[in-house]
Structure formats: C-alpha cells, structure tokens
Amino acid sequence: MEIGIVGLPNVGKSTLFNALTGAAAAAANFPFTTIEPNVGVVPLPDERLMKLGEEFNSSKVTPAGIRFVDIAGLVKGASQGEGLGNKFLSHIRAVDAVAHVVRCFSDDNVVNVLGKLDPMGSIDVIETELLLADLQQAQKAMEKLRGPAQAGDKKAREKIVLMETAMAAFNQGKSARTLNLPPEIIEEFQFLTVKPLLYVANTDEANISSALIEPIKQRAQIDHAALVVLCAKMEAEIVQLPPEERAAYYEAAGITSPGLAMLAKAGKELLNLICFFTAGPKETRAWLIPQGTKAVKAAGKIHSDIERGFIRAEIYKYTDLSRLGSYKAVQEKGLVSLEGKDYEIQDGDVVYFRFSV
C-alpha cells in the first residue's frame, strides 16, 4: 500500500521525500523536477520492536515500512492536461492514500507559483483539480451506464443515482470522501477525492505560525483528513546526521516529536494498518497489514508457502510480554494461544506460524 506525496510545485514535496527516504530525488528550484514518481519505503519507528529484539537477543531487527511515492507538482488546469496533469493524476489514482504538502514557509529563493504565501489557496487549487478529475470520471461513467439503464438493468440505474449524487457533491466542492459511497462503487470508479487524505504543513525552520496552521487544521476536519506539521528542510538536514547525533539536534531545536516519526505514524493510521511481530534469535521483525486481516493471510505477508501450508498460529500479546517482563513468564502464565486460519490478527500480536508444504 502506498501514499502519494502531492502538492503544488516548490512546496517541499521532494525535500520531504529526501528526508523520508534518504533518496536522491531531485529537489531543485523549478517546477516538474520530479517527472516519474519516486518510490521509497520509510521505516516505521516502533519501540515494541526494539524491546522484542532485546528479549530474544536477535541478530537482526527489521522495522515495517510505509511506502511513499513522490509525485510531481500539480498546477491549475491539471484536470485539463496542464503541466502534464493527466499523467500526474494517473499517478495519484494508483496510490492508496494522499499526503498533500502545503507550503507554510517564506523563502525568496524558492519560487512560489501562487506569487504569495497562501496555504489555503494552494489547498483549493489541488482540491479543485482533483474534484474536476472526479467529475469527469463520473460523467464518463454516466455515459456508459445510460444504455444498460434504459434497457432495464437495475444495477445500472442504481449506479446512475449514485453518480448523480456524486456529481452534485463535486460541483459543490465536496469530496467523495464525505459521501459514504458503497465499497463496490469506490472500487469500480476509483475517485481521487475518496482516498484517505493527510495534510502536511511544511513550515519555516524556526517559525510555525498558528495563523497559517489553524485554518489548515479546520480544513482537515471538514475534509475528514489528518494533519502533520513539520519543517521538511530541517528534517532533511537532520537525516544526514549520524543516528546517534539526531536526538541532540532535535532537542536543541526544541522539537519533542520528530516530524518524520509523526508522518510515518500518521501514514500507518491513514492506511488503516496494524502491526504484528515475528520474533526469535535470528530476526525480530515488524509486519504491517490491513486491519481485519485473518491469520492465514498474515502468514502470506511473510511468504506464500507459509500461507499455503498454514497449520496454526501461536500468538501472544506484546502487552503481556511488556507487563510480565519476559517471554518465559508469558508462557508460564499460559498466555500463548493457538489460533486457526480465521483468527483476526490484532495490533501488537507476536506470532509464530506453523506450516507444512
């Protein structure tokens, strides 16, 4: 599952991507530096993983990762093909969620395509283009559905009613996210504005203006979206430091919650993912899966052979291990359960899969 980083040109998308992944994605001072989407897997910090690794004295500790895609900047008219808009909109359609980077910093050396610092204006430009693209999508769907509907196809008629409702909402500036569309409609028509949304307010290094942030916070509530506030430039600089020096840098800057950690956590929540663990002397590892995933499908996350030959899952809770102090104590208390294929994996489960192929 992937999160697409979108926004107007020069708002800090590629700088943020560089910070997130340490990749060499271009972050030059002109629009469309990023033409093809860059993809990076961002490690998800998890204190539980490190403690499990210590408990089993693991030779290797592997965190789970959130996949971010750096998509080139959209411009006004993108839905009509401006600025290679159709191509970039197709990249957004391919991701599972959207992180919308909003420029909240002033820098005369970085071109502002709006001509002035206007966070809400930039949000409106992007949202309008996505709504116009969705409106076009709904109109095309209507054209295809009319024939079957006139021929008496009941499902086609029902879909036309839903498309009419959606089009009315899009024309009023309402996203598909707010419409509670049936899952099958979301799957079939892939509206851009139905995707989970996260606003990323990209601020100045030493000046986080509440006057700029508060309207974005209010907009996020209206849009059923999340919000993370960070300085991408500073995060990109910190990630270049040796790991042991980063905490001191954050402390000196008065930052108690590193922006990248907040963003990774928000990404996990945005995609409605949970984390389970496998643990042992060779490797302790975190795995991300959609909430509601059954044990047999979680096994397939590790390897298809484990899913195919699934016998049972031995499971205990990380909270029990943390509370009791050791895996041995968890065993002694009888808190290791044996579960079948239909067991629904929970966040914080530590799992050992038994299988035969």
Side-chain angles (χ1 to χ4, degrees):
M1 301 184 77
E2 296 178 336
I3 300 175
I5 303 175
V6 306
L8 290 175
N10 296 348
V11 298
K13 299 184 307 301
S14 293
T15 301
L16 176 62
F17 184 80
N18 290 345
L20 284 167
T21 65
N29 178 26
F30 55 90
F32 310 126
T33 301
T34 308
I35 301 300
E36 296 299 332
N38 295 284
V39 181
V41 179
V42 183
L44 180 67
D46 197 320
E47 190 177 273
R48 300 173 297 181
L49 179 69
M50 306 313 296
K51 289 185 177 180
L52 278 169
E54 293 172 2
E55 168 66 19
F56 288 92
N57 195 25
S58 303
S59 299
K60 184 179 181 182
V61 176
T62 306
I66 302 292
R67 289 173 62 89
F68 282 88
V69 180
D70 183 19
I71 298 173
L74 295 176
V75 296
K76 188 175 182 179
S79 59
Q80 304 299 320
E82 293 293 331
L84 304 180
N86 291 334
K87 185 176 183 181
F88 299 153
L89 287 170
S90 71
H91 291 155
I92 298 174
R93 202 176 301 282
V95 298
D96 300 286
V98 173
H100 181 174
V101 181
V102 183
R103 180 169 176 162
C104 296
F105 65 88
S106 298
D107 189 337
D108 293 337
N109 296 316
V110 179
V111 175
N112 189 330
V113 295
L114 291 182
K116 63 178 180 177
L117 186 59
D118 183 7
M120 298 310 296
S122 68
I123 287 176
D124 287 339
V125 169
I126 298 297
E127 185 70 8
T128 297
E129 294 307 319
L130 298 184
L131 284 168
L132 287 172
D134 280 353
L135 185 59
Q136 292 174 8
Q137 185 87 339
Q139 289 170 337
K140 290 178 183 178
M142 287 279 284
E143 292 172 4
K144 292 181 179 180
L145 289 167
R146 281 197 183 98
Q150 290 172 354
D153 188 321
K154 184 179 178 181
K155 287 187 177 180
R157 290 177 179 174
E158 292 173 351
K159 288 179 182 178
I160 282 181
V161 172
L162 286 171
M163 288 304 104
E164 289 173 342
T165 301
M167 288 170 63
F170 299 154
N171 279 315
Q172 294 171 11
K174 296 179 181 178
S175 69
R177 202 176 305 107
T178 65
L179 300 181
N180 295 317
L181 293 171
E184 61 272 15
I185 294 297
I186 293 173
E187 178 68 24
E188 181 175 356
F189 297 105
Q190 295 291 304
F191 291 127
L192 297 176
T193 61
V194 82
K195 296 181 183 293
L197 175 64
L198 166 68
Y199 287 119
V200 182
N202 185 16
T203 69
D204 290 323
E205 187 168 344
N207 180 28
I208 300 177
S209 170
S210 59
L212 292 176
I213 302 302
E214 187 58 34
I216 302 175
K217 185 183 296 184
Q218 294 175 9
R219 179 63 175 265
Q221 292 176 347
I222 294 172
D223 290 341
H224 299 182
L227 170 64
V228 170
V229 181
L230 53 74
C231 174
K233 180 181 178 183
M234 185 175 68
E235 297 286 346
E237 292 171 352
I238 292 176
V239 82
Q240 299 301 318
L241 297 173
E244 64 271 13
E245 296 180 16
R246 295 174 190 171
Y249 197 110
Y250 279 119
E251 185 178 351
I255 296 174
T256 56
S257 298
L260 299 188
M262 290 192 299
L263 188 58
K265 181 180 178 182
K268 175 190 171 188
E269 294 172 353
L270 195 67
L271 294 171
N272 197 27
L273 300 175
I274 63 168
C275 185
F276 76 92
F277 306 97
T278 51
K282 289 185 178 180
E283 182 183 26
T284 289
R285 183 163 180 170
W287 305 87
L288 289 177
I289 55 174
Q291 189 169 13
T293 299
K294 305 293 187 182
V296 66
K297 290 298 181 182
K301 176 77 175 180
I302 299 172
H303 199 284
S304 58
D305 284 349
I306 304 178
E307 179 179 0
R308 183 160 50 90
F310 181 98
I311 298 173
R312 64 183 180 183
E314 297 181 8
I315 297 175
Y316 61 94
K317 307 295 183 184
Y318 171 82
T319 51
D320 288 333
L321 183 140
S322 179
R323 175 173 56 87
L324 296 172
S326 70
Y327 174 61
K328 183 179 179 180
V330 172
Q331 287 180 306
E332 290 173 348
K333 291 287 187 180
L335 295 175
V336 180
S337 63
L338 300 178
E339 304 293 348
K341 292 181 178 182
D342 292 331
Y343 170 79
E344 190 174 297
I345 298 292
Q346 304 297 309
D347 188 72
D349 278 354
V350 187
V351 186
Y352 177 72
F353 292 106
R354 293 196 176 276
F355 69 103
S356 176
V357 292

PDB file of all heavy atoms in Angstrom, residues 144 147-148:
ATOM      1  N   LYS A 144     -21.650   5.650 -19.992  1.00  0.00           N
ATOM      2  CA  LYS A 144     -21.607   4.200 -20.194  1.00  0.00           C
ATOM      3  C   LYS A 144     -22.815   3.497 -19.584  1.00  0.00           C
ATOM      4  O   LYS A 144     -23.236   2.440 -20.050  1.00  0.00           O
ATOM      5  CB  LYS A 144     -20.321   3.636 -19.596  1.00  0.00           C
ATOM      6  CG  LYS A 144     -19.059   4.052 -20.333  1.00  0.00           C
ATOM      7  CD  LYS A 144     -17.831   3.427 -19.691  1.00  0.00           C
ATOM      8  CE  LYS A 144     -16.563   3.837 -20.445  1.00  0.00           C
ATOM      9  NZ  LYS A 144     -15.342   3.236 -19.830  1.00  0.00           N
ATOM     10  N   GLY A 147     -27.105   3.471 -21.453  1.00  0.00           N
ATOM     11  CA  GLY A 147     -27.635   2.419 -22.329  1.00  0.00           C
ATOM     12  C   GLY A 147     -28.189   1.235 -21.551  1.00  0.00           C
ATOM     13  O   GLY A 147     -29.370   0.881 -21.708  1.00  0.00           O
ATOM     14  N   PRO A 148     -27.380   0.607 -20.694  1.00  0.00           N
ATOM     15  CA  PRO A 148     -27.896  -0.516 -19.900  1.00  0.00           C
ATOM     16  C   PRO A 148     -29.079  -0.131 -19.021  1.00  0.00           C
ATOM     17  O   PRO A 148     -30.010  -0.925 -18.853  1.00  0.00           O
ATOM     18  CB  PRO A 148     -26.681  -0.906 -19.038  1.00  0.00           C
ATOM     19  CG  PRO A 148     -25.496  -0.461 -19.824  1.00  0.00           C
ATOM     20  CD  PRO A 148     -25.935   0.793 -20.520  1.00  0.00           C
TER      21      PRO A 148
END
